[in-house]
Amino acid sequence: MPTVIEMKGISKSFPGIKANDNISLSVEQGEIHVLLGENGAGKSTLMNILYGLYNPDEGQILVKEKPVVISNPNVAIELGIGMVHQHFMLVQPFTVAENIVLGSEPSKGITLDMNKAIKDVEEISKKYELKVDPNSKIQDISVGMQQRVEILKTLYRGAEILILDEPTAVLTPQEIEELGIIMKSLVSQGKTIILITHKLKEVMAMSDRVTIIRRGKVIDTLNTKNTDIDELAEKMVGRKVNLTVDKKESKAGTPVLEVKGLKALDNRDLEAVKGVSFEVNGGEILGIAGVDGNGQHELIEAITGLRKIQAGEVLINGKEITSKPPRDIISSGVAHIPEDRHKRGLVLDFPLYENSILGNHRAKTFSKHKFSLNYPKIREHARRLIKEFDVRTPNEKVKARALSGGNQQKLIIAREIDRDPYLCIAAQPTRGLDVGAIEFVHKRLIEQRDSGKAVLLISLELDEVMSLSDRIAVMYDGKIVGVIDAKDATEKKLGILMAGGEAQHEE
């Protein structure tokens, strides 16, 4: 097949980091080519260069064998390159048709010809089998539909080469399957797709070829049919990785966390948690599954004292902690691995030794008296955690922001687990981590459960919820719509619940 994109010797640096280091990539006409790599490997940077959002420091780009300079996205669009970003760029109150034609509106004299816009959108969505209603407002349609609108936006502008950045991050399993069908249909009509991901299962299911990037360098390009998940994982991380979670049968004890009729508002003062009740027993992991934005975030903040509870109660070992300040909730035996490690988990400009005692700094061990901290003890504590949890850092004096995402996460987990809590709340504990760091985090959560602790896991990664949990609760529209024993859970069953459907009872 002819080569449609060739990137030669691309390098790009940002202050303190070389994001792309002499990368060469070639993409053939009509293929689905995956860029695979851990978080921070340089995949998105490379594609942002191809789309004209960044200019490379060095290197050359050829489109259909002609050298080009892509100085901004308009040049990329003229060259037939379109990009669908991980976070959609849609105007919520506008209709589907208005969003698709935005910036390239058909006009009648000086006015917008809305009828033509609707007709154009109907035609293009029929041509590419992307069934969307041009008159629906973006705010009223599902995330999967919004993604179709983004794809149609690029096709409407004449894109022949589509870049999809982490397209499955916010989709249900059924929507992921539909996306795979859409991509194959686009390719059958002559389009070329570059897919950015770190999910190995999707690489195997969706791609023709895969280029692995590690720390800004190309490691290898392989034909998907000639490789497997284990080889991809090893090339992506640089060592062999155990991709299955080893765990013994759960020995569930008495309830550690009880949540009864909990209600909480979101940041817009709309009800986000709508009377949720559940319990987590000692010696078990309860996973909460759901598409992002169904109240999981507000639920965790309400339990941990970071968000006001409107109604209902929260108990730890039978003792009420409803609406108590976070400090009291921590001292009642709750550890919290937050979903946003930068906003809630670390103070990035503090050294690691100070971050290692956050929330625990009042403990007698770390204070000489009321107004003074015992720094020799704190440093010793940090060194022990760094060693025990394999945090890759030159020493404990380094600022937290200097660590990679995986090592920042290891430090937070070390700090929270070292408190020996009754309940460990882990929200998106492996978000953005590579398979090596994921393996480590999973092992630690299983250890907590095996030592009789209760673990509440909230994750958007369905594989993670299914492999770690003993029971799985599914959240949809602020409610728990079903609780399934993990042994009986399938992607299909969970996917139906995640989309607001009823679980089918099998005979």
Side-chain angles (χ1 to χ4, degrees):
M1 280 298 209
T3 300
V4 284
I5 295 287
E6 198 158 355
M7 301 180 86
K8 294 181 175 176
I10 300 286
S11 291
K12 177 72 180 172
S13 294
F14 298 103
I17 182 167
K18 192 150 197 178
N20 292 160
D21 186 356
N22 192 26
I23 286 185
S24 293
L25 168 78
S26 78
V27 180
E28 293 172 1
Q29 162 82 42
E31 73 168 337
I32 299 175
H33 194 119
V34 161
L35 278 190
L36 174 71
E38 57 201 54
N39 203 38
K43 314 178 295 288
S44 293
T45 302
L46 187 68
M47 288 301 102
N48 283 332
I49 287 170
L50 182 58
Y51 190 57
L53 289 166
Y54 296 150
N55 293 318
D57 301 335
E58 289 168 40
Q60 188 187 28
I61 300 173
L62 289 88
V63 175
K64 296 182 181 163
E65 296 176 4
K66 287 188 186 135
V68 293
V69 175
I70 305 176
S71 52
N72 60 60
N74 289 332
V75 176
I77 290 162
E78 279 167 28
L79 290 164
I81 299 166
M83 185 164 183
V84 175
H85 298 272
Q86 192 174 349
H87 304 289
F88 304 151
M89 315 275 185
L90 298 169
V91 184
Q92 293 291 322
F94 281 19
T95 65
V96 166
E98 285 166 343
N99 269 281
I100 288 171
V101 303
L102 196 60
S104 320
E105 298 89 346
S107 57
K108 217 187 244 173
I110 55 163
T111 57
L112 165 66
D113 187 349
M114 206 56 228
N115 289 334
K116 184 171 185 328
I118 290 167
K119 194 162 165 289
D120 288 351
V121 170
E122 279 172 345
E123 274 174 20
I124 196 166
S125 86
K126 195 172 169 194
K127 181 181 176 186
Y128 293 108
E129 296 173 38
L130 288 158
K131 301 172 186 71
V132 296
D133 175 5
N135 297 304
S136 294
K137 286 192 172 170
I138 296 295
Q139 61 203 23
D140 300 331
I141 63 175
S142 72
V143 179
M145 276 296 168
Q146 290 182 32
Q147 190 175 60
R148 291 182 183 199
V149 174
E150 282 282 20
I151 292 169
L152 279 171
K153 235 166 77 177
T154 64
L155 295 170
Y156 181 76
R157 284 156 184 71
E160 294 295 318
I161 297 142
L162 279 82
I163 304 163
L164 306 182
D165 189 357
E166 297 283 359
T168 62
V170 290
L171 304 182
T172 65
Q174 283 83 350
E175 286 170 333
I176 291 170
E177 215 171 285
E178 282 164 18
L179 177 67
I181 295 162
I182 287 165
M183 281 166 38
K184 291 199 163 98
S185 155
L186 288 169
V187 163
S188 73
Q189 299 195 46
K191 304 295 179 193
T192 303
I193 295 173
I194 306 173
L195 181 69
I196 303 173
T197 187
H198 61 261
K199 297 182 181 176
L200 300 165
K201 231 166 87 178
E202 282 155 26
V203 177
M204 296 306 296
M206 292 178 175
S207 67
D208 300 303
R209 285 196 305 153
V210 52
T211 294
I212 302 120
I213 297 178
R214 187 166 80 232
R215 293 184 187 168
K217 288 186 163 79
V218 168
I219 301 301
D220 206 347
T221 297
L222 305 162
N223 288 323
T224 310
K225 63 174 185 289
N226 299 337
T227 185
D228 57 32
I229 280 182
D230 291 323
E231 183 185 14
L232 291 175
E234 192 174 337
K235 285 182 184 285
M236 183 170 149
V237 182
R239 63 173 176 82
K240 279 213 179 307
V241 181
N242 181 10
L243 294 163
T244 53
V245 174
D246 299 320
K247 64 176 203 230
K248 304 192 286 276
E249 189 74 24
S250 144
K251 294 191 177 87
T254 54
V256 171
L257 170 69
E258 294 169 85
V259 175
K260 300 176 180 178
L262 192 71
K263 292 185 178 181
L265 305 178
D266 65 14
N267 295 341
R268 298 167 300 166
D269 286 339
L270 301 171
E271 196 171 59
V273 182
K274 304 174 179 177
V276 163
S277 300
F278 64 90
E279 56 188 43
V280 190
N281 301 308
E284 78 161 347
I285 296 177
L286 176 74
I288 292 190
V291 177
D292 201 7
N294 278 284
Q296 305 96 311
H297 170 74
E298 290 82 3
L299 173 68
I300 297 312
E301 289 198 338
I303 293 171
T304 53
L306 295 167
R307 184 173 293 271
K308 196 174 167 219
I309 290 172
Q310 301 297 314
E313 53 183 349
V314 180
L315 295 97
I316 291 285
N317 292 328
K319 185 178 133 201
E320 190 158 351
I321 58 162
T322 317
S323 292
K324 290 220 164 135
R327 181 176 160 185
D328 293 359
I329 292 170
I330 289 169
S331 59
S332 69
V334 178
H336 179 206
I337 299 161
E339 63 179 314
D340 187 334
R341 51 182 166 260
H342 291 172
K343 191 172 159 193
R344 298 273 192 219
L346 299 164
V347 180
L348 293 175
D349 286 320
F350 277 16
L352 301 185
Y353 60 82
E354 287 182 337
N355 274 288
S356 76
I357 60 158
L358 286 182
N360 211 18
H361 48 284
R362 291 182 183 85
K364 287 195 176 83
T365 329
F366 304 129
S367 54
K368 287 178 180 168
H369 45 78
K370 201 171 181 184
F371 301 108
S372 170
L373 290 169
N374 184 344
Y375 276 105
K377 270 269 186 281
I378 292 168
R379 286 203 178 102
E380 189 188 313
H381 167 77
R383 284 195 294 272
R384 177 176 65 79
L385 292 187
I386 286 165
K387 190 170 178 230
E388 258 179 55
F389 285 77
D390 188 30
V391 181
R392 310 277 171 86
T393 172
N395 55 54
E396 78 282 5
K397 297 172 201 151
V398 168
K399 285 186 177 173
R401 74 166 63 252
L403 264 55
S404 71
N407 285 303
Q408 288 175 347
Q409 193 73 339
K410 282 182 182 179
L411 183 73
I412 293 168
I413 289 167
R415 179 185 71 213
E416 297 301 312
I417 286 177
D418 193 64
R419 286 188 188 136
D420 198 23
Y422 297 116
L423 168 72
C424 181
I425 297 175
Q428 317 297 352
T430 59
R431 175 181 270 172
L433 302 190
D434 63 76
V435 282
I438 288 171
E439 176 192 40
F440 175 89
V441 172
H442 286 177
K443 199 168 134 213
R444 291 297 183 165
L445 291 175
I446 295 288
E447 278 171 13
Q448 284 296 290
R449 166 244 206 206
D450 288 349
S451 65
K453 309 292 169 50
V455 179
L456 177 61
L457 168 74
I458 301 87
S459 175
L460 301 176
E461 301 287 350
L462 201 49
D463 283 351
E464 178 165 74
V465 173
M466 287 173 73
S467 58
L468 282 181
S469 308
D470 299 301
R471 291 185 302 130
I472 300 168
V474 179
M475 264 191 102
Y476 173 76
D477 191 27
K479 299 185 191 83
I480 285 181
V481 289
V483 180
I484 300 178
D485 200 308
K487 291 195 287 286
D488 307 325
T490 62
E491 273 198 16
K492 190 177 177 191
K493 267 188 202 172
L494 292 171
I496 290 165
L497 288 168
M498 283 162 71
E502 295 285 326
Q504 304 296 309
H505 295 289
E506 288 165 17
E507 294 301 318

